[in-house]
Structures are given as structure tokens and as C-alpha cells.
Amino acid sequence: MDKLTTSFRYRTSEEGLTVEEILRDDWKAGKKTVHQMRMDKAVMDTAGHPLEWRTPLEAGTELVFHFKDVYSSYKPDEHVTVSILFEDEHILAALKPAGMAIHPDETDEGGTFMNAVMAHVVRNGGAYAEHIHRLDKGTEGIVLIAKHPIAKALFDRMIEERAITRIYHAEVDGRVKRMRGTLQYPIGRDRHHPTRRRVSPGGQDAITRYRVIERNDESTLVEASLETGRTHQIRVHFSHIGHPVKGDTLYGGSETTDGNYRLIATKVSFIHPFTKELTTIEAK
């Protein structure tokens, strides 16, 4: 797609902050990003005049941040649609259907979640959309999308620092005996399979907390929250304790008629790094 300007507006909340302090101290933007934005005179007032970076600003000053030639390569695809659950200047949250890939394998492909998100962004005059986390193709639920590079960097760091709460509902095979528990097993690659993961002593630390919502004769509905975000984490952990997610045949789960997993990302919650407000988004 054409290289369009990506921009966002921000209103200062504290008296006396400078542009440099907002970027460097509050948002902790990288040195390279700060330097480039200074060279590009990328921060302006609402009249389009570049601002001095070290001049204290009055509380309530509205700033406009521009990113020259910053755009995403996903091809907008109007033939696929997703439900937008939340959107502001910085991020959006959309509901990914089960069975839809999160992004294309090749940049010119369509039909994926990110192609649908990009179509929405372009329709509204934007040019940038990058997912902050992922869901497996067979999983339904909420995905957070950054609408500019600073939001992407901030939310990536929040994921690393476990500052975003992510809640899932999963129907797993069998009757889970304990009403609640913590699954803390390191997860690594399975050397015998190209995409599968496994519990491994040499793997990355992984923590899943759960509580039982409902028990049936052959399955259990659980609510699971992630303290870490390892690939296939919920699927690997519940398979490891003998209760694989229904439909997840890769990890021993029973088959479902549609071939999708009975796993839904139902809720995300975080302190918004730009507004400082507790933000909770739930699947409808």
C-alpha cells in the first residue's frame, strides 16, 4: 500500500512536562525513536507548527505526533470482516473468529484477521496496524492491535512485564478434580514436531491459573488466566495434566465437528499507558 503518514493526538495531563520527557520518561520510547522523531520535527501543535522539545508545556496541551512513511504491509481485504470491540487513537481490540489465521504467510495474501483489521484501519484514514499478541488459528477471541509505533512498543513491553491480564474460557476433556489451581510448567519446543510445544525442564517459564466454571460428564469448562504468554501455553498445560482442550487434536484433545478448539480469549484488562485508566475489554 502507499506510504501514508501515521499520526495520533495526545493531550498532556501534567503541568510542565516537555515533549522529550513524555517520550523518554513517561513512554520510555527508545533512544533511536526519540532521536528520529526530533530530527523529523515529528511533534507539532494542532496548527501544524513543530514544538520545541525542551519547553515545558501547560497541562491540557494537545500534541500531534507524526510518523513519516510508517505503515503496515498487510493488504486490506474487504471480503473478510471482524467485530471491533474497542478503539481509540492508540489501539483497537477486535474479535478473531475461530478458524481464521491471525496473519498471512505471505505479504500479498488475504483472508486473515490482520487483512480484515487493515481494511477497517484504511477505511478510517489510517495506515498502520500491528498485532500486540496472537491467537492460534483454531482459537476465538480478543486480539489487541497497535495503531502507531509508540503504542506497539509500549504494549509489547506491557506483555513482557505481565501488565496485561488475559482471560480465556476453555472446554477441556475429562473432569478436572480441583476447583482451582496453578499450572507452572516450563514450555519448550518439541524436537520431533515442527509446530508442537511440550513441557520441558529446559523450556521457558510458563504460568497458567485456572478455576472450574462447570463440570459435565465428559468435559470441564474452565476459566484460565495467563501470567506468561508462551506459544500454545493453555493447550500444552492442560494436555500435560491429562485434560487437553476439546478439538485440539495436536495435543490429544477429542475431535469437534467444526475442527476448531473450544478455547476463547474472553477478556483483556490493563492500565492504558496513554490515558492511565483501567481498561477492560470483553468479548460480546
Side-chain angles (χ1 to χ4, degrees), residues 34-229:
V34 173
H35 174 74
Q36 189 62 55
M37 294 187 74
R38 183 188 292 113
M39 292 301 99
D40 291 343
K41 297 182 178 180
V43 186
M44 304 179 181
D45 61 21
T46 54
H49 302 130
L51 292 169
E52 293 294 332
W53 279 50
R54 295 183 179 178
T55 299
L57 302 169
E58 295 181 3
T61 301
E62 190 168 14
L63 311 177
V64 183
F65 291 76
H66 290 278
F67 301 89
K68 184 179 179 182
D69 289 342
V70 171
Y71 68 105
S72 296
S73 60
Y74 300 113
K75 177 183 176 182
D77 190 342
E78 296 286 355
H79 296 97
V80 286
T81 58
V82 291
S83 175
I84 306 299
L85 305 177
F86 173 90
E87 185 168 13
D88 63 13
E89 287 258 34
H90 313 287
I91 61 168
L92 66 83
L95 189 66
K96 187 190 84 67
M100 178 183 286
I102 194 82
H103 57 71
D105 292 331
E106 303 292 340
T107 56
D108 60 348
E109 290 182 357
T112 73
F113 174 79
M114 286 307 301
N115 296 121
V117 168
M118 200 70 222
H120 168 81
V121 168
V122 170
R123 279 196 304 271
N124 288 278
Y128 183 97
E130 298 292 339
H131 57 81
I132 295 161
H133 57 105
R134 305 183 185 189
L135 293 179
D136 300 326
K137 183 176 181 179
T139 302
E140 176 186 346
I142 302 169
V143 179
L144 294 175
I145 309 295
K147 294 174 64 177
H148 58 77
I150 290 179
K152 179 71 166 83
L154 282 173
F155 277 86
D156 281 348
R157 186 163 66 245
M158 289 167 66
I159 289 285
E160 292 175 4
E161 295 174 351
R162 305 177 186 181
I164 300 177
T165 299
R166 288 175 286 167
I167 304 295
Y168 292 73
H169 283 182
E171 185 181 2
V172 301
D173 288 324
R175 292 175 61 85
V176 177
K177 293 181 180 179
R178 296 183 60 185
M179 284 300 296
R180 61 182 65 243
T182 300
L183 308 179
Q184 188 166 1
Y185 305 105
I187 293 175
R189 292 183 177 274
D190 188 331
R191 292 179 297 173
H192 305 291
H193 194 283
T195 59
R196 191 164 52 202
R197 301 297 194 271
R198 61 187 291 268
V199 168
S200 169
Q204 294 178 298
D205 181 40
I207 304 171
T208 305
R209 302 190 188 279
Y210 75 88
R211 68 177 182 88
V212 170
I213 298 174
E214 181 182 353
R215 292 189 181 99
N216 301 311
D217 291 339
E218 298 180 353
S219 66
T220 305
L221 181 63
V222 299
E223 179 183 272
S225 62
L226 298 180
E227 289 203 9
T228 53

Side-chain angles (χ1 to χ4, degrees), residues 6-20:
T6 297
S7 64
F8 71 91
R9 293 184 176 229
Y10 176 76
R11 191 179 297 277
T12 60
S13 58
E14 296 182 34
E15 188 74 24
L17 284 178
T18 67
V19 171
E20 186 173 51

